[in-house]
Amino acid sequence: MTALILHGGAGARRERNYDAEVVHMHEVVEAMKVRLESGDSALDVATAAVVMLEDSGLYVAGKGASPNLAGAYELDASIMDGSTKRAGAIAALQGFRNPVVAARAVMEKTPHIMLAGDGAALFAHDQGLELIADEAAWFTGAGKGEDNHPPGTLSHGTVGACVLDSQGRLAAATSTAGVFGKMPGRVGDTPIPAAGTWADAYAATSCTGQGEYFIRVAASAQVAWRVAAGQSLAEATQAVIDEIGQMGGDGGMIALDAAGNIAAPFNSQGMKHAWLTPAGEIGVQVFRD
């Protein structure tokens, strides 16, 4: 049995057209379905899915990043292997193409969980990760025009994936450029395991939204802990999103449990997401009907 769910951010607005994102997310799920059927691990598929999302330029992550207030592109990502609880993260990374690949390298090549800023860039360079030669030409600023928040508030965009492989292993990965117009050095929930990303034997979760709120409730890990305590995945994820909403935050999350159940609650206008069920069915949604 295999399954996956991915997202392209919870900043969607009804007045915008998302046909390109819908087509692309469907393509990503189809490509990952082939990999899962070939026996690829959940960790490899989660990485590959997020790389495709980063490279598309359609979302506020990777190529689609928007700059911070100083005009710099600082990217964050994290990844977690549910079968081992190993995790890796990168924060405020500049100059490299795929932060999720850097996050995985931190997990596999260092004794640490997170590297940030100049140290993250030095590590990425030492690992031979792909540099961005011309940032002005590379970044598309996909989030521009999708700001559905008043000036001075935390408008956002992120990508992520949660995967269950044929061996019953769960994994999750998340990548972002952070909130729009963020202060230099700002780090949100995305690169923080337990806040923006989590995977264990019970559930895998990736969050998207106003990260400061997700950090305050340990959003991703809380879902898995609730599932471990006996709640359904739907109940667990909705409870966390409700808690964030009660605090004044908005966003959403995707989640997948060990039985192949999926959940994607959000309290924003919309959330771009797509999924593959254990029965092999593919779905894509941006707004609730």
Side-chain angles (χ1 to χ4, degrees), residues 30-282:
E30 287 183 324
M32 296 307 108
K33 179 181 180 182
V34 171
R35 294 189 62 152
L36 285 168
E37 290 173 344
S38 298
D40 283 11
S41 71
L43 191 64
D44 285 345
V45 173
T47 305
V50 172
V51 165
M52 287 186 72
L53 294 167
E54 288 175 338
D55 284 350
S56 70
L58 293 171
Y59 317 96
V60 191
K63 188 174 183 178
S66 294
N68 64 20
L69 287 174
Y73 294 88
E74 293 184 324
L75 308 183
D76 306 327
S78 64
I79 191 165
M80 191 162 181
D81 180 1
S83 63
T84 63
K85 288 190 179 177
R86 293 186 306 158
I90 214 87
L93 177 67
Q94 295 186 51
F96 290 85
R97 178 167 171 168
N98 292 113
V100 71
V101 175
R104 182 164 177 180
V106 171
M107 181 181 76
E108 295 179 334
K109 303 293 180 61
T110 82
H112 307 306
I113 298 293
M114 183 189 298
L115 295 176
D118 292 343
L122 179 61
F123 171 75
H125 183 272
D126 289 346
Q127 293 299 309
L129 302 186
E130 188 170 353
L131 284 158
I132 298 170
D134 184 348
E135 288 192 341
W138 172 251
F139 289 111
T140 66
K144 296 174 182 177
E146 193 166 290
D147 185 353
N148 58 349
H149 297 75
T153 60
L154 302 173
S155 48
H156 51 77
T158 303
V159 303
C162 302
V163 183
L164 173 68
D165 66 23
S166 59
Q167 302 299 311
R169 298 169 296 196
L170 290 160
T174 313
S175 179
T176 191
V179 295
F180 306 148
K182 65 183 181 182
M183 295 174 65
R186 179 265 185 186
V187 175
D189 66 312
T190 291
I192 301 176
T197 305
W198 185 262
D200 61 16
Y202 296 95
T205 309
S206 173
C207 297
T208 168
Q210 296 172 310
E212 283 74 4
Y213 294 93
F214 286 78
I215 293 170
R216 288 163 63 184
V217 302
S220 284
Q222 188 185 153
V223 168
W225 297 337
R226 284 175 173 272
V227 171
Q231 280 193 335
S232 71
L233 188 70
E235 291 171 335
T237 53
Q238 190 62 56
V240 173
I241 293 300
D242 288 346
E243 182 179 4
I244 288 169
Q246 290 163 6
M247 295 166 60
D250 83 345
M253 60 170 56
I254 56 168
L256 176 64
D257 68 16
N261 297 305
I262 60 174
F266 55 92
N267 64 8
S268 52
Q269 287 189 37
M271 181 173 74
K272 303 178 287 288
H273 61 289
W275 60 89
L276 170 69
T277 70
E281 300 169 346
I282 295 175

